[in-house]
Amino acid sequence: MSRLLDLAAIRSFENLEFLARQLVEGFITGLHQSPYHGFSVEFSEHRLYNPGESTRHLDWKVLARTDKLFVKRYEEETNLRCHLLLDVSPSMYYPAPTHDKLRFSVLCAAALATLLQKQRDAVGLVTFAEQVELQTPVRSTSTHRHTLLLTLQQLLERPAPARRATTTDVAGVIHTIAQQIPKRSLVVLFSDMLGRAPEEQASTLAALQHLRHQHHEVLLFHVMDRATESDFTFQDRPYLFEDLETGQTVKLQPAQVREQYRAAMRTYEHELALRCGQYKIDFVPVDIREPFDKVLYAYLVKRGKVR
């Protein structure tokens, strides 16, 4: 299911909760059919039995079903606190009018919230542009997840925000969040990281480092429409390009700037990945035209490190 869904299909569904559940169930089914046997439906509630330890907490039902020895985990062993940070600035509404970067990020956030609740982990949502727009509590109940998905559904239905002279203050938002998270948590950020001058990029990375100093784990999904935003594959005819953050426009022929643009984007993406590596931040570039599996796999790998 997760491999077959595309953004066109998402636009045909009105119930994000149903779609997220289908995506997660399809993904989990795919795990059982893939080389990633370490990730299973039981991983959130059990761990493999180590020879020599007490058999007191063995799950005999799982043994009968799978012929494998699993030990039941206590709640404090399994609970993870996850904060989903979603950039809802104007540039995330590209390409208009379908808003596919935002749709991709919303569905991924919905799927992660569903997966977290299935694992009895706690999740909270933060949406931001120039400042924090919404911040929910961090809870693990099905009622809370339902509320989060309704909130995400509303994001898909609202119009793109108005252009403005200022850019999104990702750094300020992240510093604020870092100061408000009381316990060690996993912070998952969905953002295109665009529309920012070099000094602003440095501030954003410093803010992410602030999270690391607070002993939080950080997973950054760099959301892009790679064909147009990175490779600049526009037809060779005059275009009027508009900055979705500020509204500024420029008219040009793509062939005149394509090579310089690609070189600048490669430098930018390399620097971003390099800095994240230095700060021990998991940096995952994702293309909205590709399957959603990459996001869910990256989350499972990161969760395995946090436990």
Side-chain angles (χ1 to χ4, degrees):
M1 178 71 177
S2 58
R3 295 185 182 280
L4 298 176
L5 285 174
D6 57 25
L7 292 172
I10 294 168
R11 288 191 290 273
S12 69
F13 280 84
E14 295 183 358
N15 191 327
L16 182 64
E17 185 167 6
F18 170 79
L19 191 58
R21 187 169 62 249
Q22 292 296 308
L23 178 60
V24 168
E25 290 175 357
F27 174 71
I28 291 174
T29 300
L31 286 179
H32 291 302
Q33 300 170 351
S34 75
Y36 296 88
H37 299 301
F39 300 127
S40 66
V41 179
E42 290 81 18
F43 81 89
S44 65
E45 299 178 49
H46 302 83
R47 63 173 172 80
L48 285 171
Y49 171 75
N50 295 314
E53 66 178 308
S54 172
T55 60
R56 178 181 177 185
H57 300 296
L58 279 176
D59 193 321
W60 301 107
K61 291 182 180 179
V62 172
L63 174 63
R65 192 167 64 245
T66 66
D67 201 29
K68 294 181 180 179
L69 293 173
F70 283 91
V71 176
K72 292 182 180 178
R73 287 180 178 269
Y74 290 104
E75 186 171 340
E76 60 268 20
E77 290 184 272
T78 60
N79 279 167
L80 171 76
R81 295 172 60 86
C82 179
H83 298 258
L84 301 175
L85 275 58
L86 183 59
D87 183 350
V88 295
S89 61
S91 65
M92 291 293 287
Y93 284 76
Y94 176 86
T98 56
H99 307 159
D100 282 349
K101 282 197 294 188
L102 182 64
R103 287 183 181 276
F104 183 94
S105 301
V106 163
L107 181 60
C108 289
L112 288 180
T114 300
L115 193 53
L116 282 155
Q117 197 271 328
K118 182 182 285 287
Q119 298 162 203
R120 300 181 183 178
D121 291 329
V123 59
L125 174 68
V126 177
T127 63
F128 66 91
E130 293 179 80
Q131 58 189 7
V132 173
E133 294 188 358
L134 169 78
Q135 185 172 6
T136 74
V138 181
R139 295 173 181 162
S140 59
T141 65
S142 57
T143 301
H144 178 64
R145 178 185 64 87
H146 179 70
T147 301
L148 291 187
L149 296 187
L150 286 178
T151 301
L152 291 170
Q153 181 79 47
Q154 291 168 1
L155 280 177
L156 294 180
E157 297 168 355
R158 76 178 190 180
R163 312 293 190 264
R164 54 182 183 271
T166 58
T167 56
T168 305
D169 185 16
V170 178
V173 169
I174 295 174
H175 278 303
T176 299
I177 297 301
Q179 294 168 352
Q180 293 177 347
I181 301 177
K183 298 180 180 179
R184 182 171 181 255
S185 303
L186 171 61
V187 179
V188 179
L189 171 63
F190 291 93
S191 177
D192 55 13
M193 304 293 286
L194 292 177
R196 297 160 184 86
E199 61 273 13
E200 292 172 319
Q201 286 285 0
S203 298
T204 300
L205 290 169
L208 291 171
Q209 191 179 24
H210 184 184
L211 285 168
R212 294 292 295 127
H213 280 313
Q214 298 292 99
H215 307 293
H216 303 302
E217 295 292 331
V218 182
L219 180 55
L220 168 59
F221 289 110
H222 186 214
V223 183
M224 297 279 285
D225 178 21
R226 186 155 295 278
T228 58
E229 292 184 300
S230 184
D231 298 334
F232 210 61
T233 53
F234 292 96
Q235 296 178 5
D236 290 329
R237 61 176 178 80
Y239 282 86
L240 182 66
F241 292 94
E242 180 181 5
D243 186 329
L244 291 177
E245 295 282 340
T246 65
Q248 294 180 333
T249 60
V250 59
K251 188 174 183 178
L252 55 81
Q253 189 99 3
Q256 296 174 337
V257 299
R258 181 173 290 117
E259 291 308 313
Q260 299 95 314
Y261 180 92
R262 287 176 175 173
M265 284 300 296
R266 283 195 296 268
T267 300
Y268 157 74
E269 291 174 348
H270 175 75
E271 181 69 15
L272 185 58
L274 180 64
R275 294 300 180 191
C276 285
Q278 291 175 343
Y279 299 152
K280 293 182 170 53
I281 294 166
D282 287 50
F283 174 76
V284 183
V286 288
D287 184 356
I288 63 172
R289 300 171 190 261
E290 294 179 351
F292 301 93
D293 296 34
K294 186 175 184 179
V295 171
L296 299 178
Y297 277 133
Y299 158 73
L300 287 183
V301 171
K302 188 65 175 177
R303 185 188 190 281
K305 296 177 183 177
V306 176
R307 282 190 302 176

